[in-house]
C-alpha cells in the first residue's frame, strides 16, 4: 500500500522555511550561504543579514587587534586606573590609622626576613601619611601621565606585570640594603625605565626620558628621607623587564615574555631564601 502526496494546483510552490526552524516560514536569505533564516537566526551584516554559522565562521577568520608588544589591544587603560584607585584608597585608610597601617604593611627588611613577605608588595601601595601629600601626589601624577601610554604599548597584562615586578624589585633592594621604606616610587621608577626602553625600540628621541630619570636620581640622593634602594631597585627591574617584553622575537614573543617574568620572580625568590638582609645584620 502506498500513499501519494496531495495534488497541488498548477504553479503552487512550498513556502521557504528557516534552515534551523523548519516550522517557520521566511523569505529572508543569508547573504553569505543563501540559506533561509528566520528573525531569531538573523545576524546583522555589512549588507543584509547572515546566519549564525556564517557569522561564527567569519569571526574565526578575523584577526583581533593586538597591542604593539603583545596582548589584546587596549582601548581604556583599566590597569592604570585600578592601580591609581588602590593607591588612593590605601592613602585614605592612612588618614585614620596611619601608624598602625604603616607598621603592619610597610617594607621592612627585618620583618620580611622573619617571614612577613607580604610587606614586599603592600609597602608599594603606601605613602607618607598626612599632613604630607607630596609623596602620593608625585607618584600618582607619574602613574597618570605615563601609565596609559605604557599600557597601550605593552598590553594590560604585561603592564601590570611590569608595574608589580618593579615594585617588588624596589622592595627587594630595600630588603638587601636598607631598613624600612614604603611608597610606589619603585614601581614608578620601573615605569621610567620602561618608557626609555620603549622609546628606543620605536626610534623616538629618548633624551627627554633620560633627563627625567637623571633628575629624579639626583633628587633621590639630595632630598633627605628618600629610599635610594627602592628607587634604583625599581628602575633596574623595570628596565630589564621592559627590555625582555619589547625585544622578544615576534614568533616566540609570548613564551619569551613569560619566561622573563618567571626568571625575575625566581631571582627574587633566591635572594629572599639565601641572602641575609642588611637590616637583620645591623641589629645583631
Amino acid at each position: 500500500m502506498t500513499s501519494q502526496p496531495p495534488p497541488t494546483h498548477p504553479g503552487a510552490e512550498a513556502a521557504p522555511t528557516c534552515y534551523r526552524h523548519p516550522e517557520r516560514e521566511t523569505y529572508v536569505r543569508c547573504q553569505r550561504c543563501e540559506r533561509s533564516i528566520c528573525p531569531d537566526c538573523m545576524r546583522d551584516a555589512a549588507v543584509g543579514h547572515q546566519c549564525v554559522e556564517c557569522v561564527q565562521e567569519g569571526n574565526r577568520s578575523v584577526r583581533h587587534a593586538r597591542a604593539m608588544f603583545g596582548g589584546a589591544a587596549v582601548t581604556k587603560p583599566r590597569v592604570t586606573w585600578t592601580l591609581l584607585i588602590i593607591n588612593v584608597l590605601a592613602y585614605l585608610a592612612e588618614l585614620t590609622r596611619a601608624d598602625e597601617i604603616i607598621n603592619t604593611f610597610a617594607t621592612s627588611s627585618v620583618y620580611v626576613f622573619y617571614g612577613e613577605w607580604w610587606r614586599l608588595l603592600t609597602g608599594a601601595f603606601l605613602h607618607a601619611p598626612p599632613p604630607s601629600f607630596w609623596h602620593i601626589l608625585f607618584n600618582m601624577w607619574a602613574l597618570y601621565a605615563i601609565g596609559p601610554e605604557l599600557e597601550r604599548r605593552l598590553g594590560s597584562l604585561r603592564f601590570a606585570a611590569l608595574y608589580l615586578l618593579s615594585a617588588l624589585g624596589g622592595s627587594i633592594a630595600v630588603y638587601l640594603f636598607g631598613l624600612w621604606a614604603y611608597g610606589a616610587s619603585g614601581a614608578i621608577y620601573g615605569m621610567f625605565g620602561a618608557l626609555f626602553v620603549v622609546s628606543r625600540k620605536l626610534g623616538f628621541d629618548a633624551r627627554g626620558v633620560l633627563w627625567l630619570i637623571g633628575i629624579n636620581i639626583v633628587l633621590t640622593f639630595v632630598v633627605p628621607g628618600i629610599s635610594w634602594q627602592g628607587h634604583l631597585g625599581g628602575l633596574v627591574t623595570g628596565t630589564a623587564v621592559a627590555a625582555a617584553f619589547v625585544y622578544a622575537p615576534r614568533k616566540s614573543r609570548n613564551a619569551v615574555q613569560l619566561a622573563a617574568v618567571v626568571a625575575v620572580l625566581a631571582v627574587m625568590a633566591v635572594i629572599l631564601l639565601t641572602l641575609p638582609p642588611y637590616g637583620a645584620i645591623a641589629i645583631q
Side-chain angles (χ1 to χ4, degrees), residues 167-178:
L168 286 174
S171 295
I172 292 291
V174 172
Y175 170 81
L176 286 177
F177 307 112

Side-chain angles (χ1 to χ4, degrees), residues 137-215:
L137 286 177
F138 173 79
N139 284 339
M140 294 305 98
W141 170 83
L143 178 57
Y144 173 80
I146 302 174
E149 177 65 16
L150 285 176
E151 186 172 349
R152 292 188 180 97
R153 300 287 186 181
L154 298 175
S156 293
L157 184 60
R158 288 158 181 79
F159 173 70
L162 170 79
Y163 186 94
L164 295 177
L165 287 174
S166 298
L168 286 174
S171 295
I172 292 291
V174 172
Y175 170 81
L176 286 177
F177 307 112
L179 290 172
W180 186 276
Y182 49 84
S185 300
I188 298 302
Y189 273 65
M191 290 168 51
F192 289 162
L195 185 62
F196 172 76
V197 172
V198 170
S199 298
R200 292 284 295 176
K201 174 63 175 178
L202 299 179
F204 298 156
D205 188 350
R207 288 176 294 181
V209 183
L210 282 177
W211 274 104
L212 176 66
I213 295 173
I215 291 172

Side-chain angles (χ1 to χ4, degrees), residues 46-215:
V47 178
H49 300 85
Q50 292 184 6
C51 65
V52 176
E53 280 79 2
C54 287
V55 170
Q56 292 175 345
E57 182 180 350
N59 289 338
R60 285 193 293 268
S61 64
V62 173
R63 293 186 61 185
H64 297 286
R66 309 287 291 177
M68 183 169 293
F69 300 112
V74 176
T75 55
K76 296 181 180 179
R78 292 187 172 87
V79 171
T80 300
W81 286 111
T82 299
L83 292 169
L84 275 164
I85 291 171
I86 294 174
N87 276 278
V88 171
L89 289 177
Y91 191 77
L92 292 177
E94 292 180 44
L95 294 177
T96 57
R97 305 171 67 182
D99 291 341
E100 180 180 349
I101 290 173
I102 291 175
N103 289 334
T104 305
F105 296 106
T107 302
S108 166
S109 58
V110 177
Y111 284 111
V112 171
F113 180 69
Y114 287 106
E116 296 185 6
W117 292 2
W118 67 82
R119 291 174 177 267
L120 294 170
L121 188 59
T122 57
F125 291 93
L126 303 178
H127 291 85
S132 175
F133 296 99
W134 67 267
H135 192 196
I136 188 171
L137 286 177
F138 173 79
N139 284 339
M140 294 305 98
W141 170 83
L143 178 57
Y144 173 80
I146 302 174
E149 177 65 16
L150 285 176
E151 186 172 349
R152 292 188 180 97
R153 300 287 186 181
L154 298 175
S156 293
L157 184 60
R158 288 158 181 79
F159 173 70
L162 170 79
Y163 186 94
L164 295 177
L165 287 174
S166 298
L168 286 174
S171 295
I172 292 291
V174 172
Y175 170 81
L176 286 177
F177 307 112
L179 290 172
W180 186 276
Y182 49 84
S185 300
I188 298 302
Y189 273 65
M191 290 168 51
F192 289 162
L195 185 62
F196 172 76
V197 172
V198 170
S199 298
R200 292 284 295 176
K201 174 63 175 178
L202 299 179
F204 298 156
D205 188 350
R207 288 176 294 181
V209 183
L210 282 177
W211 274 104
L212 176 66
I213 295 173
I215 291 172

